[in-house]
Amino acid sequence: MNDATFLGMPAFPTAAASALRDSQLRGNLARATGTIRSRRAAAVAEQDDWEQLREAGRAVKERTLRHLDRYLLQVEEKVTAAGGKVHWARDAEEARRIVVGLVQDTGEREVVKVKSMVTQEIGLNEALADAGIDAYETDLAELIVQLGQDQPSHILVPAIHRNRAEIREIFLRSMGAYGTAAPADLDDDPRRLADAARRHLREKFLRAKVAVSGVNFLVAETGTAVVVESEGNGRMCLTLPETLISVAGIEKVVPTWQDLEVFLQLLPRSSTGERMNPYTSTWTGTTADDGPRAFHLVLLDGGRTNALADPVGRQVLNCIRCSACLNVCPVYERVGGHAYGSVYPGPIGAVLSPQLRGTTSEVDRALPYASSLCGACYEVCPVKINIPEVLVHLRARIVEEGRERLVPKPERLAMAAARWVLSRPSRLTAAQRAGALAARLVARRGRVGRLPGPLSRWTDTRDVPVLPAETFSAWWKGTHR
Amino acid sequence: MNARTEVLDRIRRALDDVPAGERPQDVPVPRQYSRGGQQPAGSTAAVELLAERLAEYGASVHLVSPQDVASRVGQSVAGLGTGSVVVPRGFPPEWRSALDPDRVLTDEPRLPVAELDRARAVVTTVAAAIATTGTLVLDGGPGQGRRALTLVPDVHVCVVRAGQVVASVPEVFTALDPVRPLTFVSGPSATSDIELDRVEGVHGPRTLEALIVV
Ligand code: SF4
C-alpha cells in the first residue's frame, strides 16, 4: 500500500493556491463543512450550560498541564497496577520503535488500527510496513484514505475531500486487493458504501490478534483510557484482539474520573454535532475474561514539551481534536486540509504543528500565517484555545528568531488562501477587526515587529470599498446555513 | 538518561514559570455547569426523554410493563427469523422465558468469536442510562456479559429498568465504577464519514432495540 507522507510538501501559500484551483475539492469541502457546522450549532444551542462546560474544560486542562509530570506518574502507577505496561517515548522515532517491537514480540504480521491522529503524526504505518507488518485502518474515512493511497485532510473525517462518487470508485478499484472486494453493483448510496466497508473489514476484525489505537483521554486518578468513536471499529479493536497497544500524547491526561463528565459533553457536540457519539469505550489496564490480555500504553512527547514551555503556546495542548475549528474556518473551507502540510490541518494545525516540529522549515514558518485571524475558531473551541492569540504570538516569534529574510513576503502571506477575504467588503471588515486584535495582542506582549502583517498592509495600500455595518458573525450566519 | 526520566525532566523544565509551591488544586476549576436533576432519576420525565432521544438516533424503543418484558423480548427476537440469540449470564430468567431454549447461547463456556458472528442477536440488561443524550451504559455486570457479546451480533436488544435512567452525563459518572470496562452506546453504530452526513450501521450492531421497563 502506498505510504505517502507530508514530507516535501510545498509551504502553505503554494499548496493553498493549487488547492484553490481544484473546484471539486472546494465543492466537497463546502458541502461537508456546511452540514457539520449547522449540526454543531444545533447541538450546542441545546446545551444551556455550554459556556460553563467550556470554562470547566479549559480549567481542567490548565490544571493538568501545569502539573503534568505528577499526573503522568499517576497514570503510569495506575495503569501498571491494573495490569498494563507503560512505555515512554521522547520522539516519533522512539515511539515507532517501541510499537514495532511490541508487535514483533507477539509474532503477528498484521494489526488492526483505530483512527488515531498520533499514530499518523509519528508515521507508524510506514514503520510497520518497513518491518513487514500490515496495518489495516478500520475507520471508514481512514479506510478511504488508505485504499485511495491518499493523505488525510481533516482531523475527524480524514476523507472529507472525497465525495460519495469518488469513494465508490476507490472501493471498487482497491478493496479486492486487500481482502473482501466491494460488490460489483456498488452504487454511491452512503448506506451501501458503509455496508461494503463492514463486509471488507469483518474478517480482519475477527482474526486480529493485535490492535493499535490512540486514546482520547487518560484519567490519572484511575489509569482509565477512553476512546470515543462512531462506527464500532474502535470497539472491535479494543475488545477482540489479544494485545492492545495504545499511543497517547502526554497531553491527553485529565486528573479525575469526574472530569470525563465535562469532556464527554464537550467533545461529541463540538465534533460530529451529536448529543453523544454512538460509542465510547473506557478501560483500565486489563480485565480478566474481557478484552485484550495484554495492554501497552506508549506516552509520547514528540515536541509537546516545546509547546508546554511557551506560556502562550501551551494552551494548544488543551486541544481535544474535535475539529470544530476546521469546520468553521473560512480558510480551511477553501483550501482543504492538504495545504497545511501536516497531519493536523486547519486552525489547530496552524498553531500546533509549528510548536511540535519547530519553525525551521518553510512549511512550519508559513503555517501561523495560514489564517485571516477572524476568530471563528476561538469562538467554537470547546476548550477555549485562543487560536488567534497563539497565531499572532507565533508570527512574532518567527520574526524574532531573526529569520526575517526567510519569512514569506507579505504579499505571499496575504495569500492565495486569504485572497477571498478581499473579494468581499464584509470579509474585509473581519480581517481588519482581526488586524486590530492582532495589534492589541502584539502591543500587550510588548513586541513590535512587522506585525500584524499582511492583511493590514493590504488595507493600507489599497482602496477599500465602503464597509457594510454587518459584523463578520452576522455575515457568516447569513451566508452559511 | 532513559526516555521516562528525560520526558519528565523536559516537562519540569518547560514548567519553570509555575511557582514551586503551587499545587494542582491551586489552579481553580469552576464547575458551574449543570449537574442535571431537572428530571429526577427514574422519573417518567426522564424515561420519556430517554425514549425520545434514543429514537432520534435510530434505536427502536418500547416502553413495557414488568409483566410484559418476557413476551416483548420474545417478539423482538422472533421477528429476526432463525439463528442463535446470546443471553449473558445473570440476565433475569423471568425475562427470557419466552425465548426458545434451543436458540439461546449463554457464553458458558466462552463462545468463539466466529460463533458470535453467526449469532443473530444479543439480549442484555444495562448498568445505567442517560436520558439527555440517549445513552445506554454497559459495565459487564450481571446480564450484560463481556464486551464482545454486545458488539459482534448485528442486533442488540437491551432491557432498561426505569430506575436506572438518570437525566444527565454528570449524574451517571458518579454512579459508575471506572475499574470495569465500560461501553457507552448511543444509538446503533453510525458514521459521518461520507460527506459528513450521518449513516446508521457500520461495524457495531446495526439494530439497537431498547425495552424500557416502566
Ligand atoms: S483547537 Fe479547539 S476547536 Fe480546534 S480541534 Fe482542538 S479542541 Fe477542537
Side-chain angles (χ1 to χ4, degrees):
Chain A
M1 209 164 284
N2 171 297
D3 292 303
T5 72
F6 286 104
L7 262 166
M9 285 192 69
F12 188 83
T14 318
S18 87
L20 280 170
R21 285 192 294 272
D22 185 344
S23 63
Q24 169 85 68
L25 170 79
R26 261 182 314 159
N28 293 354
L29 272 174
R31 197 165 36 251
T33 55
T35 307
I36 198 74
R37 272 197 303 270
S38 46
R39 286 188 29 201
R40 177 203 163 270
V44 165
E46 178 180 289
Q47 184 92 28
D48 296 334
D49 56 351
W50 186 251
E51 285 310 315
Q52 288 79 8
L53 283 169
R54 281 179 84 208
E55 181 52 27
R58 187 206 60 76
V60 168
K61 283 295 190 176
E62 182 179 1
R63 177 182 284 181
T64 313
L65 292 172
R66 288 174 75 89
H67 298 277
L68 189 57
D69 50 338
R70 128 188 217 143
Y71 287 124
L72 285 169
L73 288 171
Q74 208 181 356
V75 165
E76 182 184 53
E77 179 199 325
K78 296 293 176 178
V79 169
T80 309
K85 185 155 176 20
V86 176
H87 309 258
W88 300 72
R90 280 165 277 220
D91 51 28
E93 201 272 316
E94 192 163 25
R96 288 194 297 264
R97 204 157 15 91
I98 292 168
V99 177
V100 169
L102 289 169
V103 178
Q104 282 168 336
D105 288 348
T106 66
E108 295 296 324
R109 314 290 298 175
E110 75 177 35
V111 302
V112 285
K113 283 191 68 205
V114 196
K115 179 172 131 41
S116 120
M117 296 305 303
V118 72
T119 58
Q120 272 173 43
E121 176 191 326
I122 64 174
L124 182 63
N125 289 3
E126 293 79 358
L128 289 168
D130 289 346
I133 297 160
D134 292 324
Y136 294 110
E137 294 291 353
T138 63
D139 170 82
L140 178 52
E142 291 281 7
L143 178 71
I144 296 165
V145 167
Q146 195 177 37
L147 290 174
Q149 308 197 344
D150 199 355
Q151 282 294 330
S153 69
H154 188 275
I155 297 179
L156 176 73
V157 194
I160 194 171
H161 56 291
R162 298 290 197 183
N163 65 24
R164 57 186 76 189
E166 295 171 282
I167 295 168
R168 170 181 173 271
E169 287 295 310
I170 292 169
F171 280 9
L172 280 172
R173 196 174 55 230
S174 305
M175 272 185 171
Y178 303 101
T180 308
D185 64 345
L186 184 67
D187 58 27
D188 64 4
D189 174 358
R191 267 161 218 292
R192 294 213 54 210
L193 294 171
D195 189 55
R198 179 185 170 97
R199 285 158 195 273
H200 178 72
L201 288 172
R202 196 76 177 184
E203 53 168 346
K204 296 194 166 62
F205 287 134
L206 299 187
R207 71 170 185 234
K209 294 281 185 282
V210 185
V212 177
S213 83
V215 304
N216 290 92
F217 306 100
L218 280 174
V219 181
E221 96 181 322
T222 57
T224 306
V226 183
V227 162
V228 172
E229 51 130 0
S230 295
E231 297 168 15
N233 62 311
R235 293 177 68 191
M236 292 279 180
C237 294
L238 303 173
T239 311
L240 298 182
E242 286 163 11
T243 301
L244 171 62
I245 303 165
S246 300
V247 185
I250 52 175
E251 83 284 15
K252 292 289 171 188
V253 185
V254 298
T256 67
W257 177 246
Q258 194 197 3
D259 294 328
L260 289 180
E261 73 190 20
V262 176
F263 296 103
L264 290 184
Q265 294 192 79
L266 289 171
L267 181 54
R269 287 179 197 262
S270 299
S271 186
T272 46
E274 292 165 307
R275 298 187 182 106
M276 192 63 96
N277 49 290
Y279 300 130
T280 297
S281 298
T282 75
W283 72 97
T284 304
T286 54
T287 308
D289 299 326
D290 191 349
R293 288 201 294 263
F295 170 54
H296 296 275
L297 176 65
V298 182
L299 296 171
L300 168 73
D301 177 354
R304 284 157 179 78
T305 46
N306 296 338
L308 192 68
D310 181 335
V312 177
R314 182 178 297 160
Q315 59 185 308
V316 306
L317 300 177
N318 293 4
C319 178
I320 56 173
R321 311 279 190 265
C322 73
S323 73
C325 60
L326 279 64
N327 299 332
V328 297
C329 179
V331 175
Y332 176 84
E333 183 181 320
R334 279 155 187 85
V335 303
H338 293 154
Y340 295 80
S342 153
V343 296
Y344 300 107
I348 180 60
V351 289
L352 184 61
S353 309
Q355 297 202 81
L356 294 185
R357 305 194 296 205
T359 46
T360 50
S361 77
E362 202 198 336
V363 170
D364 288 313
R365 277 195 306 278
L367 279 175
Y369 295 90
S371 165
S372 66
L373 298 177
C374 76
C377 47
Y378 180 27
E379 249 174 69
V380 297
C381 179
V383 283
K384 295 175 88 167
I385 302 174
N386 190 335
I387 294 175
E389 178 189 34
V390 182
L391 285 166
V392 171
H393 172 72
L394 291 175
R395 290 179 189 185
R397 201 170 88 188
I398 286 163
V399 172
E400 274 183 5
E401 278 167 357
R403 298 201 188 88
E404 259 115 333
R405 181 174 55 84
L406 295 171
V407 171
K409 286 207 166 51
E411 281 75 10
R412 277 177 72 200
L413 298 178
M415 282 185 314
R419 210 165 277 145
W420 69 276
V421 172
L422 303 161
S423 65
R424 277 237 204 143
S426 53
R427 290 172 181 168
L428 192 55
T429 317
Q432 287 177 319
R433 198 183 298 151
L437 163 77
R440 259 200 337 270
L441 292 170
V442 170
R444 200 179 76 207
R445 297 200 48 77
R447 293 175 198 272
V448 186
R450 295 152 57 198
L451 290 170
L455 296 170
S456 65
R457 277 163 185 242
W458 274 89
T459 59
D460 288 348
T461 56
R462 273 161 183 78
D463 280 341
V464 181
V466 179
L467 304 176
E470 187 179 48
T471 64
F472 179 78
S473 327
W475 167 76
W476 187 253
K477 287 184 186 114
T479 52
H480 288 75
R481 272 188 218 289
Chain B
M1 216 187 296
N2 69 21
R4 178 178 185 273
T5 318
E6 187 166 340
V7 172
L8 289 168
D9 202 58
R10 287 180 191 170
I11 292 169
R12 289 173 188 137
R13 264 183 283 131
L15 292 172
D16 65 1
D17 62 309
V18 176
E22 183 181 295
R23 297 162 308 166
Q25 59 267 39
D26 296 333
V27 185
V29 174
R31 294 188 192 268
Q32 252 88 61
Y33 53 87
S34 166
R35 305 215 56 81
Q38 291 92 330
Q39 300 86 6
S43 66
T44 309
V47 166
E48 280 172 359
L49 185 61
L50 174 69
E52 175 199 312
R53 297 280 152 99
L54 274 167
E56 265 183 53
Y57 279 159
S60 51
V61 184
H62 305 273
L63 301 185
V64 290
S65 56
Q67 66 274 16
D68 294 337
V69 176
S71 64
R72 182 61 245 185
V73 167
Q75 268 178 42
S76 297
V77 171
L80 300 170
T82 56
S84 50
V85 178
V86 180
V87 182
R89 180 180 17 185
F91 189 82
E94 66 273 20
W95 286 354
R96 50 180 274 195
S97 56
L99 294 175
D100 172 1
D102 292 343
R103 287 183 69 185
V104 170
L105 299 172
T106 56
D107 199 34
E108 290 170 304
R110 200 180 161 94
L111 295 165
V113 68
E115 183 131 9
L116 275 182
D117 192 37
R118 281 193 299 274
R120 190 68 189 89
V122 57
V123 184
T124 72
T125 61
V126 301
I130 313 167
T132 312
T133 54
T135 304
L136 307 174
V137 188
L138 304 168
D139 72 354
Q144 299 165 54
R146 61 192 168 98
R147 288 172 287 172
L149 302 189
T150 47
L151 172 62
V152 180
D154 201 15
V155 177
H156 183 187
V157 179
C158 212
V159 188
V160 183
R161 296 177 207 263
Q164 296 180 302
V165 182
V166 298
S168 70
V169 175
E171 284 167 89
V172 94
F173 267 86
T174 51
L176 294 171
D177 176 2
V179 172
R180 312 182 77 113
L182 303 177
T183 309
F184 295 68
V185 176
S186 308
S189 94
T191 181
S192 305
D193 283 355
I194 301 166
E195 300 178 8
L196 281 181
D197 221 351
R198 188 178 155 110
V199 178
E200 269 138 29
V202 200
H203 305 294
R206 288 182 287 190
T207 302
L208 176 67
E209 198 164 320
L211 314 184
I212 310 176
V213 189
V214 290

